[in-house]
Amino acid sequence: MNSDDNLVVIDADERIKSVLKGKIPKHIAVIMDGNGRWAKERNKTRIEGHKEGTVSARKIIENSLKLGVKYLTLYTFSSENWKRPVLEVNKLMEMLYENLISQRDMLIENKVRLKILGEKSRLPKKLRNEIDSIEELSSGFKNIQVNLALNYGSRGEIVEAIKNIISDGISEKKINEKLISKYLYTRDIPDPDLLIRTSGEYRISNFLLYQIAYSEFYFTDVFWPDFRMDSLLDGIIEFQKRKRRYGAI
Ligand code: IPE
Ligand code: IPE
Ligand code: MG
């Protein structure tokens, strides 16, 4: 390591310390976008981009733990992503399965609770089984809750909630905002404080529409495979400058 590298390391530690003096968002939600474009810029395949993206996903879990974030929601596969070529979809499902297997010990060691948000029935059986097993095994863990939004679409989530409210025979008088929250995949999870989207896209792409009513948004041009602690700190520093008014003055 030369003296320049040293300087960079000290700098990062100092930034972490200073961020920890401010308010840390309790729940961060991330639209992890730009794997394909990251790969294209390097003449790599989209799959290689996704593979690099899984490294960033592991890192953001570790870094969120370090910073004391309590809920981290990662948009992993949308209900619209089935429109992609079947080879890409299959590879994504395969990589997810392999990652869950290889990260199992890390999740247990760090007492990470894992939850899936989304319609599990369309996922490959072996992936579903692995998910069920990790969800159950980690259900009592409290260091951080990591939610993977998988085959997730917010409009579909709301439609399902309405159907279930009707089939449960809930009377009109009992329907309020809190009750609707209870019928979403995010029941028992506080709304995101900070929503991050990478890759320079400024849209929500059917993610947590009900839950982000008062979230702070942070958009960065960084492609997801390049997203590391420095980018996360950039987002949190920006969050710490915001004044949340919730409609008041
Ligand atoms: C995000 O990267 C990963 C998923 C949506 C599964 P993309 O694959 O959307 O990357 P771009 O947007 O094509 O660069
Ligand atoms: C959103 O990214 C979904 C995930 C990150 C999993 P997309 O790349 O699918 O979104 P659009 O198509 O650009 O809106
Ligand atoms: Mg994309």
Side-chain angles (χ1 to χ4, degrees), residues 28-177:
I28 299 181
V30 189
I31 304 176
M32 310 184 288
D33 199 12
N35 295 351
R37 279 162 286 158
W38 179 92
K40 194 165 185 205
E41 272 190 354
R42 288 162 181 77
N43 281 319
K44 291 176 187 278
T45 62
R46 291 183 57 83
I47 304 302
E48 287 173 293
H50 294 314
K51 194 151 185 248
E52 257 333 282
T54 64
V55 178
S56 301
R58 282 207 298 277
K59 293 278 176 201
I60 198 175
I61 297 174
E62 289 169 19
N63 291 332
S64 298
L65 263 164
K66 209 179 269 179
L67 296 172
V69 174
K70 297 311 279 181
Y71 298 86
L72 176 69
T73 300
L74 302 176
Y75 204 4
T76 307
F77 191 88
S78 76
S79 49
E80 287 74 32
N81 286 148
W82 297 105
K83 293 179 196 162
R84 295 185 178 205
V86 68
L87 271 175
E88 179 169 341
V89 169
N90 288 347
K91 196 68 201 168
L92 281 167
M93 294 298 154
E94 184 67 31
M95 279 167 46
L96 242 144
Y97 172 75
E98 280 165 7
N99 269 289
L100 284 178
I101 302 268
S102 69
Q103 292 311 299
R104 208 183 159 99
D105 289 348
M106 182 280 277
L107 298 175
I108 298 170
E109 239 166 67
N110 290 294
K111 299 271 180 287
V112 176
R113 179 173 188 186
L114 190 88
K115 275 283 286 167
I116 300 303
L117 312 179
E119 180 47 58
K120 285 190 227 172
S121 62
R122 198 173 166 186
L123 303 175
K125 185 133 200 331
K126 82 174 182 182
L127 173 60
R128 236 160 54 213
N129 289 342
E130 185 55 27
I131 285 169
D132 288 344
S133 149
I134 300 191
E135 278 189 331
E136 188 180 327
L137 156 129
S138 71
S139 63
F141 292 165
K142 291 202 162 60
N143 271 355
I144 186 171
Q145 178 167 331
V146 174
N147 308 304
L148 298 184
L150 191 50
N151 189 19
Y152 175 88
S154 187
R155 286 184 169 180
E157 173 186 42
I158 293 168
V159 169
E160 274 315 299
I162 294 170
K163 286 185 182 169
N164 289 329
I165 287 170
I166 293 171
S167 69
D168 283 354
I170 308 283
S171 71
E172 188 187 334
K173 283 199 299 289
K174 291 217 165 107
I175 298 178
N176 54 36
E177 293 180 8

